Amino acid sequence: MNPKELKLLMRRVAAGKIAPDEAAERLRTTDSVNLHFARVDTGRESRCGFPEVIFGARKSPKQIAQIAAAILRRTDRLLVTRASEEAFLAVREIAPEAKYYDVARIVAVRRGRAERARRSMVFIVTAGTSDIPVAEEARVTALMFGVRVETAFDCGVAGLHRLIPLIPTIRKARAIIVIAGMEGALASVVGGLVRRPVIAVPTSVGYGASFGGIAPLLTMMNSCAAGVSVVNIDNGFGAGYLAGMIARA
Amino acid sequence: MNPKELKLLMRRVAAGKIAPDEAAERLRTTDSVNLHFARVDTGRESRCGFPEVIFGARKSPKQIAQIAAAILRRTDRLLVTRASEEAFLAVREIAPEAKYYDVARIVAVRRGRAERARRSMVFIVTAGTSDIPVAEEARVTALMFGVRVETAFDCGVAGLHRLIPLIPTIRKARAIIVIAGMEGALASVVGGLVRRPVIAVPTSVGYGASFGGIAPLLTMMNSCAAGVSVVNIDNGFGAGYLAGMIARA
Amino acid sequence: MNPKELKLLMRRVAAGKIAPDEAAERLRTTDSVNLHFARVDTGRESRCGFPEVIFGARKSPKQIAQIAAAILRRTDRLLVTRASEEAFLAVREIAPEAKYYDVARIVAVRRGRAERARRSMVFIVTAGTSDIPVAEEARVTALMFGVRVETAFDCGVAGLHRLIPLIPTIRKARAIIVIAGMEGALASVVGGLVRRPVIAVPTSVGYGASFGGIAPLLTMMNSCAAGVSVVNIDNGFGAGYLAGMIARA
Amino acid sequence: MNPKELKLLMRRVAAGKIAPDEAAERLRTTDSVNLHFARVDTGRESRCGFPEVIFGARKSPKQIAQIAAAILRRTDRLLVTRASEEAFLAVREIAPEAKYYDVARIVAVRRGRAERARRSMVFIVTAGTSDIPVAEEARVTALMFGVRVETAFDCGVAGLHRLIPLIPTIRKARAIIVIAGMEGALASVVGGLVRRPVIAVPTSVGYGASFGGIAPLLTMMNSCAAGVSVVNIDNGFGAGYLAGMIARA
Amino acid sequence: MNPKELKLLMRRVAAGKIAPDEAAERLRTTDSVNLHFARVDTGRESRCGFPEVIFGARKSPKQIAQIAAAILRRTDRLLVTRASEEAFLAVREIAPEAKYYDVARIVAVRRGRAERARRSMVFIVTAGTSDIPVAEEARVTALMFGVRVETAFDCGVAGLHRLIPLIPTIRKARAIIVIAGMEGALASVVGGLVRRPVIAVPTSVGYGASFGGIAPLLTMMNSCAAGVSVVNIDNGFGAGYLAGMIARA
Amino acid sequence: MNPKELKLLMRRVAAGKIAPDEAAERLRTTDSVNLHFARVDTGRESRCGFPEVIFGARKSPKQIAQIAAAILRRTDRLLVTRASEEAFLAVREIAPEAKYYDVARIVAVRRGRAERARRSMVFIVTAGTSDIPVAEEARVTALMFGVRVETAFDCGVAGLHRLIPLIPTIRKARAIIVIAGMEGALASVVGGLVRRPVIAVPTSVGYGASFGGIAPLLTMMNSCAAGVSVVNIDNGFGAGYLAGMIARA
Amino acid sequence: MNPKELKLLMRRVAAGKIAPDEAAERLRTTDSVNLHFARVDTGRESRCGFPEVIFGARKSPKQIAQIAAAILRRTDRLLVTRASEEAFLAVREIAPEAKYYDVARIVAVRRGRAERARRSMVFIVTAGTSDIPVAEEARVTALMFGVRVETAFDCGVAGLHRLIPLIPTIRKARAIIVIAGMEGALASVVGGLVRRPVIAVPTSVGYGASFGGIAPLLTMMNSCAAGVSVVNIDNGFGAGYLAGMIARA
Amino acid sequence: MNPKELKLLMRRVAAGKIAPDEAAERLRTTDSVNLHFARVDTGRESRCGFPEVIFGARKSPKQIAQIAAAILRRTDRLLVTRASEEAFLAVREIAPEAKYYDVARIVAVRRGRAERARRSMVFIVTAGTSDIPVAEEARVTALMFGVRVETAFDCGVAGLHRLIPLIPTIRKARAIIVIAGMEGALASVVGGLVRRPVIAVPTSVGYGASFGGIAPLLTMMNSCAAGVSVVNIDNGFGAGYLAGMIARA
């Protein structure tokens, strides 16, 4: 309930149009649906501009489908990340237009009222081939914000010339997502070449002293280029969400 | 053997009712049963107010059943945590009234003399759906102390309004258990709203930089709210035990 | 503002005794005082049963005194932890009855309406001599809750017989605080002997592989005794607060 | 040298207006000034929209002044972070209009052609009083981008009601900076309430298991709220830069 | 494109033999082949003296074969590390002379123009038997540089006399690779006996406090012998590459 | 070759009984057997009082049997740790008297000339039931040194009275092995009660913040009791070896 | 009170020579002296064969002197480790024969009844010059057990020939202490050459990735040589104590 | 004593020119000078091609001078790293030609017979200005091997165009040293552009999540460019030594 709605409620109480006890109750129970195993945050879209996203890991297909149903009752967009194919099949039961992106492991629903395509662009660049699933998660997520997405994969700093011809295009983006495992150096290099926010995603690609993504996480955290911020290891969703949010603005 | 029993023993020695060597022996051998692979602490209930609890992980069903039998010879309550269904079946052989809580992975026995239901209440709140198994372990454990338990799942801080209507109920609890993975912020928020102890349980729910529960553990350890203490990652049992102990007082 | 106050406010709005816009404003601005560099949480005592405590580290004596003044305008108790003597002198300017506990590094004020002395007792035991400052911080804090506090210092597990004669007294406490650095084993030993909550405080006492308190923190976190929970390294305040909260109940 | 300039250079070579060897040389030596101990990146502003920023730590006042002079020869803005007062005095020698922000530890120069004030706003919120120096570093940096900055200090989650009345204002910001030490939970709470990017800055405020900022860093990294990204511990500059970049767009 | 080629291009532009726009384009697109999921760095051999090496982990056999084909179109050598047998079969389809080294998990192709055998020698010594796969990866890689390779396995420092008779041979090498898990002490011992670079490879062999190779990594990093440098855990390829590079010189 | 043998060799060279070149060669090649994949340290028994022990993990049964054969050609004792049943069957082919201890995962051979039983005793105590496999590894190893071994399992500090009656027996041991996972506090308690060396073995038993044995390792490392030293996590072999070495003295 | 004394006490109770209540009391209060800030463990010598040792760090000279006085009332030996010169002067006040070892930072007292010199020997070897203070702490401590101590400093593995001539002497020792910082490899090398226990002491000597002693600690923990156990970083006292205990046997 | 010298010694024994016992003695005592607090490795130069280097940290000026004297008796080169000016003055007493490099903190002596200047070149590149002291340590060390050294400072990847014009020169080097703190990305970028060994030196320059150099260490360890190896944090000496060794070959 936003400030305006709050004032409105107060006025209706003052006008006797709504009983005071009911108003107090309403202040407490709005904007979520209690499925017992989950409290669906149905106010998320009005607060944050995007409905609640279901983190599919460790949830059963049935749980996912129930939460999905609760969300779709209030909105036209649905995103399930880390979703298995079983989860997709369960969601399709209640939302036939659901689509499964297997590389991204995302189930997505976009209905009529979903955001229009915009002209602003998000660019996603990965250091290696193995980072592609994370990039796909970012791409599908960003698309939900109605923005355009362009991608370039396998542009790691050991062969900088693969990156350089892309710079003019990258510079046209409203936000840039850089995805890298191993040493994660790509984020700093890109950050030094552009005037838009760089969202860095460390990945668990690598072995030995990459420690499941700690190495690129620290690299990106300590970037000598300004304008770079970092999301969790392998968190393509978070990067796509943030980029979509920035590009939509 | 508590101080009173010790004085009594001394007096019986002085009165010649018990031989001195036997007294010395008795001082050494009371209060445990040696099964060779385990020394069952049969004095635990008199010392701590609750019989020894069997940590089921890495023990065979047969070992668990043997320990359970030794415990049940002296008390009316039994708790086996991290118990497989096989362990349950083995325990049921020797204690037909045993009950298996599959989400909590607990085998429990409560016989006639077990603690009466009390009016004091423990509240358990989780940040997410995936934290429910830990919550269930806490709930079943706390119930063994004869207290009431209420729960609310999936109230993470990204949607605070899900938590706020629960506050009046939470404030009625004698102890509050907050269970959260990922960033574990819920413990601080709840801690700032109540006047009773908050027992925080970090969980291994999350990925990447949650490092199997280190992230929420540190969050909870550094809580800016006073009155918050922390148990081990995924240790629903420990939280339920402590809450039961506090609420029973 | 608690639920009762909320209902009351609603009724006054409905009754026309208070303008709706003012009510909306009041919902937003109650219960804190904005000093710009600090927003004093003056509603803390009504929510949590104890007024906001000032963490003195990194704050100037002047800042501390200003916050203290704001707190004392609403309550009879004040606690400043990690306080230098300079901070004490600044607070004494505005609260002449302030008292400085130099070992605990605490500034405390207790005025007329402060909580009465209660009969319930908190026991504080340390493993070593160097843990005493942390114990003192816990002791002074717990005293603010009106409980009795007893202490025993230097009872580390390398000489268990120092602990054993204390057990009968420890068992009378409503809550036990165990403070230990180095390997921190004392918490488990005490936890196995009592039926009340054990609040374990790891300290930074030690060297080498104690890593500034990580070793005892992990020890306490993994305690094989149930009923043990842990607060931050050297956090005597947190332990005393929690123990006072439990013992007061 | 951007793609357009590159094409232009090529055409001039083709037209014989510039010798081929000179063109090759120019491709190599443009856009930096070599002071031997530093290679000032004078092309940074054209590439990134903001001139090179001097990281003052470990550099002598004399070195800082020399780099500052090289930068100011090409641009109208200068920022020196982690600057001592000595560094400020040295810079003032060569740029009398330099200004020193002592809490932020920043030396800043803004000359005639610097960016105009814009209407878009950045909001900075801190969890505690001790986080203010980091917030000031962010504020002064963001101001260099010509945006408005509003701030609220000491709104930690242990007293959520201090944050709630600020939400309507925070929601008007183009980018929100959340600065917190200890457990760092504030970022998730704010992230769940807004529709704009949240830039989270962990600080080294805290003790014991906060490990110099690792605890809030992990908390923020694992935020359950989408739209949150993280910069380095105590990196107010990085957050202010990123927020300025987003808000300016 | 190296500096010479760059000057040449400029001259051809100046001479009107090549259109300026085409030159600009060429500067951008040379030296890589875009397979969409990978950008093969076909300029690697001219820059680094060795063609791009395919890191086989997490890539499908089909992807590996496509990249291999792109590489072999420009060069006579191919190396795929961490390659499964399936990957080998896929590569053999497009390069019948491909050979699979199963212990090393390497697919290698050497065609007519590959480097000639040289007289300079690389010596590889392992501390244990379990380190042999890493040693084999190093050996096969170094052979691609046309150098001779000698090996001695299981010469750990607990039985130094196994190492000592090898010293005269080791001293003839141009570069020495020392591979050790557990405590990794062998690198320091060898480093103190030779006048050539020692490339130390920590391995994940060990258990408990070896932490998957962290223990030998730190050991080698802190070697009291000069002339020792370290590559990633289990990175036999990196060591063989570096040794081949040094010995070829 | 020990100093005496060295002098003898020199004298034989001086006496012309052995050619100088042969002497130089002999100095290099004594005391090991090269199986290419392993260099069996056949001088270990003369140097260290016990033949080389085969670490069975990551070695094939065939490799183990070949190394075993080389060792048994020179000595009467053989120990293979971390041995699978397959490894046992392979060793039995070449040494029919080999025995397999399945809980300890050890293959052992003791022939005629093996060390006589001695009167000195090693005591092994574990904190829990799950620590028994590590204890068995220690027991079987120590037995190879001809000493007596007594054991007591599941004597964790949460029930100290289980340990106390054992103290008189423990005090008769020449060396005590304390094996504990979780918080590992038992080592300090035992260390404070005895006058003989305590060898502490942390185990990977536990979960969450025990981090695979780091917690008990740090506990034991920081023991407040003197006379305690530590071996690697789960290293029952190392503890049994060291205890046997001490007790045999 | 040992078992014999316990039986004796029981008999005296049975014989009416001691009142039962007094016996119960005596069981509780023997063997420690309560100085409030310290509980001196006066039973340590009878239990462990050596009186309590004072860890001087963080204790005031006055506290140390008071504890020393309590210890010397019951025994003829006193050891204060990590002692400043001020602590020494305070101890000398109450024990004029006290001696200060400044490199070792130890205050020691040995009176008439102290242990006689024995023939068994402890050998201490360090890897570097900077490890000498730790070695001295070990040496002075071991001397208190009446054993002989020999030392060799700066025998790191980068120059193995410095170690080899010492082997015959080292092999005569009953226990060997190996002290090393940086990579700590010396312990494994020595362990492979002797038949007596090797006590390894990691030191904080080094920089960068030695992490204050973690690197040598891990090295020693993972030693490929059997018979090696480890004490805390810089814990010369612990090593000397353990070696004295073994050599005295 | 190398193999040739060993054979020669054997022949002289055989020829009766040297007594067998003396030969045995000589085998043991050659090649080191025992100053008690240090055993100077005077055989280092013959084994490793460079005399022992004195690590000046934690050694007194007097100790350093004594070791220096022992080394200079056998060779013409001396290097003391981490040397204070006091250490320099002490060394100058015994070696008037000693020179002090204050930025590098090195004392160096080069006498007549020192290695001749060679034509091969080592290139040292740093990411920042604050890395210069480490670079200087590397430079002065490498010069001792008689090679040429070229340097370029402050070429971090946030401004790649500063690096690119240097590439032709860098490619002429026999070995390249890359020195970087913060995120350490420069090593990978350079590694992808050259055909010679890249020695990467992480530095402690940075703050927050750089953790004193761990971040760049991990970055360099995980470099996606082949031919890169890593030395300890801030270990300019080690890099210069290794580069000198490679370039001298």
Side-chain angles (χ1 to χ4, degrees), chain E residues 158 183 185 188 192 209-210 215 219 222 224, chain G residues 158 183 185 188 192 209-210 215 219 222 224:
Chain E
E183 95 277 61
S188 296
S210 79
T219 303
N222 288 284
C224 57
Chain G
E183 94 277 62
S188 297
S210 78
T219 304
N222 287 287
C224 57

Side-chain angles (χ1 to χ4, degrees), chain E residues 4 7 16 35 43 57 63 74 108 123 127 137 147 170 173 189 201-202 217 242 248:
Chain E
K4 274 187 196 167
K7 277 196 185 172
L35 304 173
Q63 287 178 324
R74 308 276 181 107
F123 198 99
E137 194 183 72
V147 299
I170 294 179
V189 170
V201 190
L217 188 156
L242 183 51
R248 168 177 73 181

Side-chain angles (χ1 to χ4, degrees), chain E residues 146-157:
Chain E
V147 299
R148 277 193 308 118
V149 180
E150 299 196 17
T151 59
F153 301 146
D154 194 23
C155 304
V157 299

